[in-house]
Amino acid sequence: MHPMLHTAVRSVREGGRVILMYFSQLDRLEYSSKGRNDFVSQADIEAERAVLDVLTHAYPEHGVLAEESGLQEGSEYTWVIDPLDGTTNFLHGFPMFAVSVAAMRNGIIEHGVVYDPLRDEMFTASRGEGAQLNGKRLRVSSTRQLTPALLGTGFPSRDLSIMEPWMRSFQSLVPKTAGIRRAGAAALDLAYVAAGRLDGFWEFGLKPWDVAAGALLIREAGGLISDVSGEQGFIESGNLVAATPHIFEDFRKIVARSGL
Ligand code: IPD
Ligand code: CA
Ligand code: CA
């Protein structure tokens, strides 16, 4: 394992420990709202601190883009961190949330880790080295058509201006697929595409920390990911389509027709 990936794994384990500690005493947890449907709790803040402690100790010269503490410029590497993806689930005791950490170098995602602390599932990838779940090689599903496909998505619950196009994409995809799930943790949804548990995923309005690690997992597991027009600007735009290769183009074209 590359030393940076190894450090990322250590950092998400620390973040996961904090999250599980708070998950066991949710009734005592305090949280506040950053905006519409956007909550932050002590668990998010302390998990981020735990992740950052490991990363900045190992790589003090690197930059950081972390959801709760923002951007800190550094050398050519930037760590992109979501300390708790799925905060709304977490606050309700709904067991779908994760820690996501990626290392980007000059805009290229080099390493990515998504960790589900409840199931102790560690999804890891380094560029060109494949993707693993707890050390075992991952492949996207072998699904060849949309009809039997299980897709994931996320609702545009904060930026309501993207609601209409999302509704159109949802309406088109429901009758063409086997099912659609909204699990509530985008980083984990992407990891599930990499693991073949979902055949594809789309969402609009995501942030770099939701997406960076999961995107690398999907690519390294043999899947495809792009923005709705098939370009690679999804980290900036936050609008993305990801899937196993055989269904990707049909799926992407349907999402593109939503008029986003
Ligand atoms: C959210 C989750 C959710 C997605 C939202 C994200 P957070 O992240 O990934 O599934 O639909 O767009 O913001 O706020 O829980 O870290
Ligand atoms: Ca998130
Ligand atoms: Ca978060």
Side-chain angles (χ1 to χ4, degrees), residues 34 38-39 44 67-68 81-87 98 158 209-210:
K34 293 190 276 186
D38 197 358
F39 300 101
D44 300 67
E67 180 175 12
E68 310 306 340
I81 301 160
D82 191 335
L84 175 48
D85 183 48
T87 296
R158 289 172 198 154
W209 46 79
D210 299 315

Side-chain angles (χ1 to χ4, degrees), residues 209-243:
W209 46 79
D210 299 315
V211 168
L216 184 64
L217 288 169
I218 289 177
R219 285 192 191 127
E220 292 296 325
L224 298 174
I225 182 163
S226 75
D227 66 14
V228 298
S229 54
E231 306 296 325
Q232 287 304 302
F234 58 88
I235 300 242
E236 293 75 31
S237 71
N239 306 323
L240 66 87
V241 183

Side-chain angles (χ1 to χ4, degrees), residues 54-82:
V54 175
L55 296 177
T56 56
H57 187 256
Y59 298 105
E61 72 283 12
H62 289 178
V64 167
L65 173 62
E67 180 175 12
E68 310 306 340
S69 55
L71 177 69
Q72 236 180 313
E73 308 267 3
S75 67
E76 83 265 44
Y77 279 102
T78 301
W79 292 97
V80 183
I81 301 160
D82 191 335

Side-chain angles (χ1 to χ4, degrees), residues 182-194:
R182 193 297 193 245
L188 209 48
D189 290 323
L190 294 169
Y192 278 23
V193 175

Side-chain angles (χ1 to χ4, degrees), residues 1-255:
M1 187 183 278
H2 190 286
M4 286 181 72
L5 185 62
H6 187 254
T7 304
V9 165
R10 280 201 295 121
S11 78
V12 298
R13 277 204 195 285
E14 289 304 313
R17 233 154 36 94
V18 171
I19 289 168
L20 286 188
M21 194 263 288
Y22 279 107
F23 198 62
S24 67
Q25 43 182 33
L26 270 184
D27 44 341
R28 281 156 54 190
L29 186 66
E30 289 183 8
Y31 64 90
S32 57
S33 176
K34 293 190 276 186
R36 179 203 297 273
N37 286 328
D38 197 358
F39 300 101
V40 60
S41 73
Q42 203 55 26
D44 300 67
I45 290 164
E46 279 186 32
E48 182 163 302
R49 200 171 300 142
V51 169
L52 279 172
D53 273 355
V54 175
L55 296 177
T56 56
H57 187 256
Y59 298 105
E61 72 283 12
H62 289 178
V64 167
L65 173 62
E67 180 175 12
E68 310 306 340
S69 55
L71 177 69
Q72 236 180 313
E73 308 267 3
S75 67
E76 83 265 44
Y77 279 102
T78 301
W79 292 97
V80 183
I81 301 160
D82 191 335
L84 175 48
D85 183 48
T87 296
T88 303
N89 284 346
F90 173 83
L91 291 173
H92 288 261
F94 189 94
M96 283 297 282
F97 45 81
V99 188
S100 177
V101 168
M104 294 188 68
R105 187 186 190 192
N106 302 324
I108 303 211
I109 312 160
E110 296 287 348
H111 308 284
V113 185
V114 174
Y115 180 51
D116 172 348
L118 275 179
R119 296 171 186 80
D120 193 23
E121 289 194 321
M122 183 73 71
F123 299 88
T124 54
S126 287
R127 191 165 65 88
E129 302 291 326
Q132 293 83 29
L133 166 54
N134 292 347
K136 211 169 144 237
R137 187 72 189 249
L138 286 183
R139 288 295 301 170
V140 291
S141 77
S142 52
T143 303
R144 302 183 78 84
Q145 288 167 336
L146 269 180
T147 326
L150 181 64
L151 302 180
T153 188
F155 307 146
S157 49
R158 289 172 198 154
D159 176 3
L160 297 184
S161 70
I162 51 181
M163 183 63 93
E164 289 293 323
W166 181 84
M167 290 290 272
R168 280 192 287 273
S169 63
F170 183 68
Q171 214 164 9
S172 311
L173 284 160
V174 168
K176 292 191 172 72
T177 56
I180 296 180
R181 301 288 178 265
R182 193 297 193 245
L188 209 48
D189 290 323
L190 294 169
Y192 278 23
V193 175
R197 296 173 182 173
L198 291 170
D199 300 300
F201 174 79
W202 88 105
E203 186 163 349
F204 304 152
L206 288 168
K207 301 289 186 192
W209 46 79
D210 299 315
V211 168
L216 184 64
L217 288 169
I218 289 177
R219 285 192 191 127
E220 292 296 325
L224 298 174
I225 182 163
S226 75
D227 66 14
V228 298
S229 54
E231 306 296 325
Q232 287 304 302
F234 58 88
I235 300 242
E236 293 75 31
S237 71
N239 306 323
L240 66 87
V241 183
T244 186
H246 282 111
I247 67 166
F248 180 80
E249 231 4 64
D250 286 351
F251 175 30
R252 187 195 64 74
K253 281 184 189 147
I254 293 169
V255 176

